[in-house]
Amino acid sequence: MFCYQCEQTDRTGETPGCHTKGTCGKDETTAALQDLLVHLCKGVAQYAVRGRALGAVDREASAVVAYGLFSTLTNVNFNAARFVKLIHEAAAVRDRVRAGYEEAALAAGRDPERLRGPAVFEPAGDVDGLLAQAGQAGIRAGVELVGEDVVGLRAFVLYALKGVSAYMHHARVVGYRSDEVDAGMEAELDYLAGEPTDVEDLLAHVSAVGRVNLQVMALLDSANTGTFGTPSPTKVRTSPVAGKAILVSGHGFDELLELLKQTEGTGIRIYTHGEMLPAHAYPELGKYPHLAGNHGGAWQDQQQDFAAFPGPVVMTSNCLIEPLPAYKTRTFTTGPVGWPGVRHIAGYDFKAVVRAAKATPGFAETAPEALITIGFGRNALLSISEDIVNAVHSGDIRHMFLIGGCDGAAPGRDYYTELARATPAESVILTLGCNKYRFNKLSHGTTPGGLPRLLDVGQCNDTYAALRVAETLSAALDTDINDLPLTIVLAWFEQKALAVLATLIHLGLRNVRTGPTVPAFVTEPVWRLLSERFGLRTSESAEKDLADALGATR
């Protein structure tokens, strides 16, 4: 196997990457099958792009591609049997899209193109046969011919597309999709299927994926507000209440809503974990009184958080790590998530979870109340944008920090705690993603003018909200967005953060700090190029980075 798509990548060897088993727990078989699934998704896209140009649009195919790519994200699915099934489903969809394209071409009086690569790949019928084929589909295939720089940039485009696929899936399951987003995804996969080798062209496609990601974040923003209401500032309990309990982690608001409906009146309380924390701010979720609070911290703390939780755990999307025996039998997965031996829920039938909650002890007593405030989404921020502009003019706000992204377990992530703690009283911190758990329970107080200093914007995809607010502020202050008193510090761990980074590149935002490490697939020459071209900077020390940020606004 070879995988270097996330921050957990083993960097001890000559070639950084996980070679025998993923640090995440992914084994060689699963890794190989994931590579083949990605290969087939490219094949679907090859025909979809050409069919779309002739008016033959297969909208269901884009759902299969998004689901397939999402399944290969870090910490989503570790179940080899599920990937065998997905591979053959993708091959069948590819063949259907090919037939649609060829029919449309002939109807238009054209000879269908004879494509190669993923378009004509035929997967073997069993696991052994698939494993024998996997070498041609790996991310580093052909590195001897094209070099590490090209392979690394191809990886950047692909991994950012994986992040896009997650947002596409979350929007689609609540009925929101976009031909523009589907076409953008297909076009970029088709581009990769052609095995590009030009560095400048690849850099342009990093930006192109950023454009698609901006579109899909806007789509998901509409999907979430259209389905669950407009989030507003909300206090969330972080200490337990006595009684039976279920914990929901991941990002699936749709699954949380159905679980809330199915547990109404049962006496079972529902708690959120990790990136599900923002759910409490949405009125269609928060209206259920048995949505009791948030338990634990970011994804990497789940083994201790889940072991300490006295009820079943539901994983709705990425962030799963190997379940410990202490809670494996009371863990459930949904959607694209999977782990061998863990019960999987198809659809929204949570009867087994409810039974497990009734059979487990629940919290024995109510702990003293502890609260945090969330819910500063796009509309909430825009409603106070005039106050922020006035505070900037008056000096009550000297600087704004956007500190967010994916948390992780690697050394160096105390940087984000130190940075947030050290920001001055005349500043505001916007945060999103699970990186917020590094500092969201600290007391940040208010600015001299009385605005809350910590504004929790939501999930990682709510970067869209922060960007819209930045655009509003730049217009109100009559300045370029890069001249705002704003520092963006993006914590990356997996592919959704890479999609966000690609969006920042697409929008031309400069001097974005990202860390705590440079991705293993980005070679030193490519990183120098990204730094020179787009102003990307690595996080150094909290003290130095803070001084640089505040020095720019003196």
Side-chain angles (χ1 to χ4, degrees):
M1 70 172 282
F2 182 86
C3 183
Y4 61 176
Q5 69 178 5
C6 77
E7 196 210 6
Q8 294 180 115
T9 296
D10 183 355
R11 298 171 189 253
T12 59
E14 183 177 344
T15 302
C18 296
H19 295 264
T20 56
K21 184 177 182 179
T23 306
C24 63
K26 180 169 59 177
D27 62 28
E28 291 184 83
T29 297
T30 302
L33 295 174
Q34 288 185 359
D35 288 343
L36 287 174
L37 178 58
V38 170
H39 195 61
L40 278 161
C41 286
K42 293 177 185 176
V44 175
Q46 285 177 281
Y47 289 113
V49 165
R50 287 154 181 83
R52 188 178 289 276
L54 296 171
V57 179
D58 189 326
R59 293 185 174 88
E60 190 54 37
S62 66
V64 171
V65 168
Y67 188 93
L69 289 184
F70 190 7
S71 299
T72 70
L73 258 75
T74 301
N75 293 353
V76 175
N77 199 318
F78 301 80
N79 192 327
R82 292 264 298 277
F83 282 105
V84 172
K85 182 180 179 183
L86 288 171
I87 284 168
H88 289 107
E89 287 177 353
V93 169
R94 189 264 322 268
D95 294 345
R96 185 184 77 214
V97 177
R98 175 173 57 198
Y101 157 64
E102 291 175 348
E103 182 180 345
L106 293 172
R110 303 180 187 180
D111 291 329
E113 286 187 56
R114 299 185 66 179
L115 303 179
R116 62 183 183 85
V120 295
F121 172 73
E122 294 298 334
D126 59 18
V127 173
D128 289 341
L130 290 169
L131 295 180
Q133 295 176 317
Q136 62 187 284
I139 191 69
R140 283 171 55 80
V143 66
E144 299 85 0
L145 294 175
V146 300
E148 297 285 357
D149 294 352
V150 166
V151 167
L153 279 169
R154 288 177 184 172
F156 198 147
V157 174
L158 174 62
Y159 296 157
L161 283 173
K162 289 189 179 188
V164 172
S165 75
Y167 299 149
M168 288 175 69
H169 174 77
H170 288 308
R172 192 178 288 267
V173 293
V174 292
Y176 284 70
R177 54 162 303 282
S178 158
D179 275 342
E180 189 176 22
V181 169
D182 291 350
M185 168 69 83
E186 292 162 2
E188 295 307 315
L189 285 172
D190 176 55
Y191 170 72
L192 291 175
E195 300 180 345
T197 59
D198 184 84
V199 167
E200 288 295 329
D201 196 38
L202 281 159
L203 283 172
H205 279 269
V206 169
S207 178
V209 174
R211 175 182 55 80
V212 178
N213 188 60
L214 182 63
Q215 293 167 346
V216 80
M217 288 194 300
L219 179 69
L220 185 52
D221 179 84
S222 296
N224 284 339
T225 56
T227 307
F228 310 109
T230 300
S232 60
T234 302
K235 292 186 182 299
V236 180
R237 187 182 180 107
T238 59
S239 52
V241 177
K244 303 290 187 179
I246 297 171
L247 185 63
V248 184
S249 191
H251 302 74
F253 290 163
D254 57 314
E255 287 140 322
L256 175 61
L257 177 59
E258 292 303 319
L259 180 61
L260 286 166
K261 291 177 180 178
Q262 292 176 37
T263 51
E264 195 170 16
T266 63
I268 299 170
R269 291 183 173 85
I270 309 299
Y271 294 81
T272 56
H273 176 269
E275 282 263 56
M276 291 298 289
L277 169 61
H280 297 265
Y282 287 87
E284 290 303 307
L285 298 169
K287 71 181 183 182
Y288 290 90
H290 61 299
L291 182 60
N294 191 70
H295 172 83
W299 69 270
Q300 76 275 3
D301 297 328
Q302 70 185 253
Q303 289 184 325
Q304 64 192 50
D305 290 344
F306 293 178
F309 190 80
V313 176
V314 180
M315 289 297 306
T316 65
S317 71
N318 55 307
C319 297
L320 176 67
I321 57 179
E322 182 173 5
L324 298 177
Y327 59 84
K328 184 175 181 178
T329 58
R330 52 184 172 87
T331 298
F332 299 81
T333 60
T334 66
V337 191
W339 188 279
V342 170
R343 285 174 287 179
H344 187 75
I345 296 169
Y348 297 104
D349 184 359
F350 292 106
K351 293 187 184 69
V353 180
V354 174
R355 285 196 299 270
K358 292 177 178 178
T360 45
F363 288 104
E365 56 185 33
T366 298
E369 185 179 64
L371 301 170
I372 56 175
T373 301
I374 66 166
F376 289 93
R378 176 169 54 87
N379 288 285
L381 285 176
L382 289 174
S383 71
I384 61 171
S385 61
E386 186 176 346
D387 295 332
I388 295 175
V389 169
N390 292 335
V392 171
H393 282 309
S394 70
D396 286 345
I397 294 178
R398 287 176 55 202
H399 207 83
M400 293 172 287
F401 296 86
L402 174 56
I403 309 175
C406 315
D407 202 7
R413 286 183 174 267
D414 286 346
Y415 163 90
Y416 303 102
T417 310
E418 295 167 6
L419 180 64
R421 198 193 302 270
T423 55
E426 300 84 9
S427 67
V428 168
I429 302 169
L430 305 175
T431 189
L432 44 84
C434 63
N435 176 258
K436 73 186 67 167
Y437 285 104
R438 291 282 172 176
F439 49 82
N440 69 341
K441 294 176 184 176
L442 301 177
S443 177
H444 298 278
T446 61
T447 66
L451 288 170
R453 288 198 54 240
L454 182 67
L455 303 173
D456 186 337
V457 182
Q459 294 182 326
C460 53
N461 48 280
D462 289 310
T463 303
Y464 173 76
L467 292 172
R468 292 285 81 90
V469 171
E471 289 177 353
T472 299
L473 294 179
S474 68
L477 294 168
D478 194 24
T479 186
D480 183 81
I481 195 168
N482 282 311
D483 293 326
L484 285 173
L486 170 68
T487 295
I488 299 177
V489 183
L490 176 66
W492 90 279
F493 173 78
E494 42 89 315
Q495 296 79 66
K496 287 186 290 183
L498 294 173
V500 170
L501 180 58
T503 295
L504 300 179
I505 289 172
H506 165 69
L507 292 172
L509 272 72
R510 299 188 60 81
N511 298 322
V512 174
R513 292 192 179 274
T514 185
T517 57
V518 175
F521 52 84
V522 177
T523 62
E524 187 174 332
V526 169
W527 181 254
R528 283 200 305 271
L529 189 57
L530 290 169
S531 300
E532 293 165 4
R533 190 74 55 84
F534 307 113
L536 293 185
R537 307 167 72 182
T538 51
S539 304
E540 297 184 50
S541 72
E543 182 180 14
K544 182 180 184 306
D545 292 350
L546 183 63
D548 286 348
L550 297 179
T553 57
R554 285 185 182 134

